[in-house]
Amino acid sequence: MKSPKSFLSKVAIKEGIKYLEKDPITNFPKLVDWAGKITMLPSQRHQYEQVIKMWEDKDCIWHDFIERILTEIHPNIRKTLLMNFTINAGIEGLKHISQNKEKYDCNIPWAILMDPTSACNLKCIGCWAAEYKKNDSMDYDTLSNIVKQGKELGTYMYIYSGGEPMVRRDDIIKLAREHNDCVFLAFTNGTLFDEEYAKQLQEVGNVTFAISIEGFEEQTDMRRGKGTYQKVIKGMDLLREHGIPFGFSSCYHSKNEDIVSSEEYIDFMIEKGCYFGWIFTYMPLGKDAVLDLVATPEQRKHMYYKVREYRKTKPIFTMDFWNDGEYVDGCIAGGRNYLHINANGDVEPCAFIHYSSANIKEVSLLEALQQPLFQQYRKYQPFNDNMLRPCPLLDNPEFLKKMVHESGAESTQPMDRENVDDLTNKTKGVAEQWEPVAEELWQQSHGCANCKAANE
């Protein structure tokens, strides 16, 4: 049962959104004022105050970003996402998550990443999903039940990956309708959009997309197949024309880092209509992984600087899944902030960590969160005092090996059942090469503050 304060919070936001729809730019301050009346956690209050500062500073690039949201996104989508993201997934959801972490003595995720299917219409080089069977899938009832159980714990953010989740695009719309209080985001190759589907997305209002693209045409088609880039661009144009919010998802590796990190590329993504950019580094999963694609320490360092630069100069929110560990206190997997459920139902700590001892078809979501491997994650997170070395596979492979062995978790890759010792042996050298570079960067940004604290 929702508390009276929770009910009043929603009433306040709904009232503010009514003013917003009449004249978004003029009435945005009224919405902000309504939101300020809601009881928030200290971290949420800080974020709220930051939004006020951004809006009041008309020379700030984030003022331009907010204006884009207010004027370019379809009204029904803007209204629905503001409500679901701000209140359900944000203020109220985080309170329930915090309470349930203590109640159940385990991690409770803010977001659940799940694969409706392992099937895909592309065959990308080095894709981690290629290690799963192509005929695996979770039926609609299983997917819906995951969301139902998640909401009981406070989780209102659901992310699709695969395979290609748009292979199940009708079910994505059906889930959005059934769970109209949630936010859904799909990582997609962007090749399966059409006019009719765009209209359905406008109607439900709570689905957004991260479109995979590897740079420009040459880089994208190198990994994803000839002609893919042009289909992706067409998909972006269609979504923008219909006011459907989306961002880009780029995997950088040794062959394309210079392009993905370039100002030309970021500007082009903004021009195409992206509101955010997820940046991942290539992970050598599977026995046939292409090790030559692993980014060098200098490339990862370069990406570190470029993402931070763009957050100050470009009206798009860019996120580096590895190099931004300092903002989330290290690794967010293992249910600490998110988890992954593959198309077979295996509940994994992360999309890149294919080990588990729980299947959602056999246990509840809570029981899966309490599995030994997830408790190992909870015990050891963060895996390093240097938050630029957050990952238990790429940066601290000795921890992943230890956790898998101590928990008794097994490989969830049916194609090759990659042994954790073999996997971590591949990344040991990568971690050793990154360590001195990460230490240099960490000392540059945190060293002086640490010395001062020690002296005090």
Side-chain angles (χ1 to χ4, degrees):
M1 181 177 178
K2 300 293 184 182
S3 69
K5 285 186 177 180
S6 173
F7 174 75
L8 291 174
S9 295
K10 292 189 176 185
V11 170
I13 290 294
K14 285 182 178 179
E15 191 65 27
I17 289 174
K18 287 181 182 179
Y19 285 101
L20 188 67
E21 295 310 301
K22 297 174 182 176
D23 186 344
I25 299 299
T26 301
N27 291 326
F28 180 69
K30 293 181 181 179
L31 175 61
V32 173
D33 184 58
W34 277 105
K37 296 178 172 63
I38 299 171
T39 302
M40 304 180 193
L41 297 172
S43 60
Q44 295 169 336
R45 180 63 60 178
H46 174 72
Q47 293 171 356
Y48 166 77
E49 291 170 352
Q50 291 299 113
V51 170
I52 294 176
K53 290 180 180 179
M54 293 172 189
W55 180 253
E56 291 177 346
D57 183 1
K58 290 185 168 50
D59 294 325
C60 173
I61 56 105
W62 294 109
H63 178 94
D64 297 338
F65 180 78
I66 295 171
E67 279 202 355
R68 287 184 61 203
I69 292 173
L70 294 175
T71 59
E72 297 176 5
I73 295 178
H74 187 274
N76 184 55
I77 299 174
R78 184 174 61 232
K79 175 182 66 177
T80 305
L81 288 181
L82 275 172
M83 188 70 200
N84 293 1
F85 190 83
T86 303
I87 296 295
N88 299 341
I91 295 171
E92 295 299 326
L94 287 171
K95 289 177 186 176
H96 294 150
I97 286 171
S98 179
Q99 293 166 359
N100 285 322
K101 282 182 178 180
E102 183 175 351
K103 178 179 179 180
Y104 296 113
D105 194 28
C106 66
N107 283 335
I108 305 293
W110 177 75
I112 292 178
L113 174 67
M114 55 188 183
D115 303 346
T117 179
S118 58
C120 186
N121 60 320
L122 299 181
K123 296 180 179 179
C124 304
I125 296 172
C127 174
W128 56 261
E131 299 306 318
Y132 296 129
K133 291 179 181 178
K134 294 304 179 186
N135 57 353
D136 281 340
S137 66
M138 289 189 284
D139 61 34
Y140 181 86
D141 289 342
T142 299
L143 293 168
S144 181
N145 194 37
I146 291 170
V147 179
K148 290 175 183 175
Q149 291 183 66
K151 288 193 291 186
E152 290 177 359
L153 297 173
T155 306
Y156 285 82
M157 182 76 197
Y158 294 87
I159 306 173
Y160 300 117
S161 58
E164 169 50 50
M166 286 289 286
V167 170
R168 299 279 299 279
R169 67 181 206 166
D170 290 342
D171 282 338
I172 287 175
I173 291 292
K174 186 178 178 181
L175 283 162
R177 285 199 179 103
E178 180 180 356
H179 301 285
N180 57 12
D181 51 352
C182 292
V183 178
F184 295 92
L185 181 146
F187 281 93
T188 173
N189 61 40
T191 64
L192 299 177
F193 292 111
D194 58 37
E195 186 82 20
E196 178 58 33
Y197 197 70
K199 292 178 181 177
Q200 293 180 54
L201 292 168
Q202 287 179 341
E203 178 192 346
V204 295
N206 58 342
V207 184
T208 184
F209 299 90
I211 299 177
S212 298
I213 186 169
E214 307 294 312
F216 295 109
E217 190 161 16
E218 178 183 351
Q219 296 79 33
T220 299
D221 287 0
M222 183 202 85
R223 281 193 68 208
R224 298 181 174 272
K226 187 174 177 60
T228 301
Y229 176 81
Q230 290 300 331
K231 292 179 181 178
V232 170
I233 295 304
K234 182 179 179 181
M236 286 184 171
D237 289 342
L238 181 67
L239 293 181
R240 184 176 186 180
E241 289 168 6
H242 288 79
I244 299 162
F246 65 93
F248 71 89
S249 171
S250 292
C251 173
Y252 75 91
H253 48 78
S254 61
K255 309 298 182 185
N256 75 341
E257 186 277 332
D258 58 330
I259 300 298
V260 172
S261 65
S262 70
E263 186 170 11
E264 179 186 11
Y265 178 64
I266 298 300
D267 285 343
F268 183 62
M269 291 294 96
I270 296 171
E271 178 187 329
K272 298 314 295 180
C274 292
Y275 292 91
F276 60 88
W278 276 104
I279 296 173
F280 300 86
T281 194
Y282 175 78
M283 299 287 277
L285 299 177
K287 293 180 180 178
D288 297 325
V290 184
L291 294 178
D292 288 346
L293 287 177
V294 176
T296 68
E298 286 304 311
Q299 287 174 320
R300 184 169 169 181
K301 176 182 178 180
H302 185 246
M303 187 64 75
Y304 168 91
Y305 282 121
K306 296 305 290 185
V307 169
R308 281 156 178 74
E309 174 189 329
Y310 295 143
R311 282 202 284 254
K312 296 178 182 178
T313 59
K314 305 292 181 182
I316 182 172
F317 186 66
T318 48
M319 298 159 281
D320 185 328
F321 199 71
W322 277 263
N323 288 338
D324 280 342
E326 62 180 307
Y327 301 115
V328 289
D329 296 327
C331 172
I332 64 172
R336 179 170 167 261
N337 288 100
Y338 102 108
L339 57 78
H340 178 234
I341 306 176
N342 68 28
N344 185 53
D346 300 308
V347 185
E348 304 168 335
C350 174
F352 303 101
I353 306 296
H354 299 168
Y355 299 93
S356 178
S357 57
N359 190 289
I360 201 66
K361 297 174 184 177
E362 301 168 353
V363 301
S364 69
L365 178 60
L366 181 58
E367 289 171 326
L369 286 162
Q370 293 170 332
Q371 67 171 289
L373 180 57
F374 279 46
Q375 294 291 30
Q376 289 282 309
Y377 262 75
R378 189 172 186 235
K379 176 181 177 180
Y380 291 115
Q381 287 169 322
F383 300 107
N384 203 296
D385 291 335
N386 182 337
M387 300 303 168
L388 298 179
R389 297 172 58 199
C391 182
L393 172 56
L394 200 64
D395 306 319
N396 308 278
E398 71 281 1
F399 270 103
L400 181 61
K401 183 188 299 186
K402 177 182 178 68
M403 292 189 298
V404 170
H405 284 310
E406 291 190 358
S407 67
E410 298 181 353
S411 171
T412 56
Q413 294 179 180
M415 305 298 288
D416 61 23
R417 296 287 178 185
E418 188 169 27
N419 182 282
V420 70
D421 295 339
D422 295 336
L423 174 61
T424 53
N425 282 340
K426 288 190 297 188
T427 60
K428 182 179 179 182
V430 176
E432 291 173 348
Q433 292 173 23
W434 172 244
E435 181 177 359
V437 180
E439 289 302 319
E440 174 194 346
L441 292 172
W442 188 253
Q443 288 302 317
Q444 285 177 4
S445 58
H446 297 82
C448 293
N450 291 339
C451 291
K452 181 179 178 181
N455 290 333
E456 291 176 349

